[in-house]
Amino acid sequence: MTARTPVLSVRGLSVRFLMPGGRRIAAVTDAHFDVAPGECLALIGESGCGKSVLASALLGLLPANAQAAGQARLGDLDLLAADERTLARTVRGRLIGFIPQSPAAHLTPVRTVRSQLEETVAALTHARGRAAVRSAAEAAAERAAFPAGHLDRHPHELSGGLAQRAATALALVGDAPLLLADEPTTGLDRDLVDHTVDELRRHADTGHRGLLVITHDLAAAERIADRVAVMYAGRIVELAEAKAFFGAPGPRHPYSRGLLQALPHRAFTPIPGMPPELGNLPDGCAFAPRCERATHACTALPQQADGIACHHPHVPEDLRA
């Protein structure tokens, strides 16, 4: 079978923040991954590991003191090389639908949710005429489980969960080739989490669109993802099929395994220690100080092979034990 061209292809993506005094913070280092048509890739990891910085790099939303390197191709367009005009007029909303981590900050405070949805529908769809635009806006709200009775409210009148659903509705309007959802279930109860991720999944299930979900909610990731990318201290340390990752044989990287074992319905055992500061990373494996499998070999940086960046990955025999 001939492999399909990825919707998104990321190669060697790195982001450094330049701080006063010449200090550099390595927020993302050498990220490699693809998102195929019809696929959902879930990017998971502890808070502060660089997931949201990676999303900002793809959208050209990094602050002025950030430097990005590598390639991130969306079709024929390299997102990292695109200028602001291209990103604003062609990419955001049209080629990439974006659900932000802090939705209230991305909603226009002086306009109702309805007016923002209708403006987005008019700009990104073929709906014409007041009635058609209004109907399409209400349909988008319904997809995101945003209550019709709240459409005429302003963002400051919404709870965190409602703001999240409003942002999701806006992102779904254009049926963009890539949907990038950064913590899309924040503030939602479990039923709404399931509804939201199922609706995001339908975006990819057309077969020609891709979905990149950044989340700390492993239950949501298990429900929606085809593949999982695990990030630790700015690096992707494991890429795996979701079925094998959450089921058998399970994760191979010790950190990935620790994430699952910390879940209440599994061992409920926390990973010892704390993640390193991104401005003070060790030369070798950043997870080694927290890893029970670490040896002297871990003082050298592990290279990724077969989707794993680890000197001592679990092998199938370990995972069956």
Side-chain angles (χ1 to χ4, degrees):
M1 181 183 295
T2 302
R4 292 179 294 174
T5 302
V7 175
L8 175 69
S9 182
V10 172
R11 296 291 180 270
L13 172 57
S14 297
V15 178
R16 299 289 182 269
F17 290 109
L18 307 182
M19 307 303 288
R23 182 166 168 257
R24 290 173 177 259
I25 295 178
V28 179
T29 300
D30 200 27
H32 288 67
F33 63 88
D34 292 334
V35 179
E39 179 185 44
C40 171
L41 175 67
L43 181 60
I44 65 175
E46 291 168 290
S47 296
C49 70
K51 304 186 303 293
S52 293
V53 173
L54 188 152
S56 295
L58 296 177
L59 291 161
L61 295 176
L62 291 170
N65 68 327
Q67 292 182 338
Q71 283 192 336
R73 303 201 70 84
L74 186 67
D76 295 329
L77 178 65
D78 183 357
L79 298 171
L80 301 186
D83 58 31
E84 175 56 27
R85 180 184 177 91
T86 300
L87 291 165
R89 297 194 175 191
T90 304
V91 175
R92 300 179 198 130
R94 290 172 170 80
L95 294 179
I96 301 179
F98 179 47
I99 303 174
Q101 187 175 23
S102 302
H106 289 255
L107 296 171
T108 304
V110 296
R111 300 180 58 194
T112 65
V113 174
R114 183 189 302 277
S115 68
Q116 293 182 60
L117 273 171
E118 290 182 352
E119 179 185 51
T120 304
V121 165
L124 300 183
T125 75
H126 298 295
R128 294 294 178 265
R130 185 172 181 178
V133 168
R134 184 183 182 92
S135 177
E138 291 174 352
E142 185 176 359
R143 287 177 68 187
F146 188 89
H150 290 65
L151 281 169
D152 294 311
R153 295 189 177 186
H154 291 81
H156 73 272
E157 299 176 288
L158 305 178
S159 66
L162 283 173
Q164 187 72 53
R165 283 180 268 171
T168 300
L170 286 165
L172 290 170
V173 165
D175 287 328
L178 178 68
L179 185 60
L180 200 171
D182 189 0
E183 301 290 1
T185 60
T186 300
L188 305 181
D189 62 34
R190 200 71 241 168
D191 287 343
L192 282 173
V193 167
D194 291 346
H195 174 94
T196 298
V197 298
D198 288 349
E199 193 59 54
L200 298 183
R201 178 72 239 190
R202 277 190 278 275
H203 180 88
D205 282 343
T206 58
H208 60 273
R209 298 194 292 256
L211 173 60
L212 175 58
V213 174
I214 295 170
T215 185
H216 68 275
D217 186 336
L218 297 186
E222 182 175 6
R223 186 179 180 93
I224 194 175
D226 297 296
R227 288 190 303 139
V228 176
V230 182
M231 181 171 273
Y232 185 78
R235 292 182 179 272
I236 293 178
V237 296
E238 182 164 6
L239 269 168
E241 296 294 325
K243 185 176 181 180
F245 185 90
F246 290 108
R252 295 184 58 203
H253 195 284
Y255 173 64
S256 307
R257 238 171 128 66
L259 284 178
L260 291 192
Q261 292 305 308
L263 294 174
H265 63 280
R266 300 212 181 197
F268 207 20
T269 303
I271 301 173
M274 295 292 291
E277 294 184 12
L278 294 177
N280 188 31
L281 294 175
D283 293 331
C285 175
F287 186 61
R290 307 173 71 187
C291 181
E292 63 181 15
R293 299 170 72 92
T295 67
H296 181 73
C298 302
T299 58
L301 187 67
Q303 300 302 309
Q304 192 170 102
D306 192 28
I308 307 292
C310 181
H311 291 292
H312 306 294
H314 289 268
V315 297
E317 289 74 18
D318 299 326
L319 302 175
R320 286 196 296 266

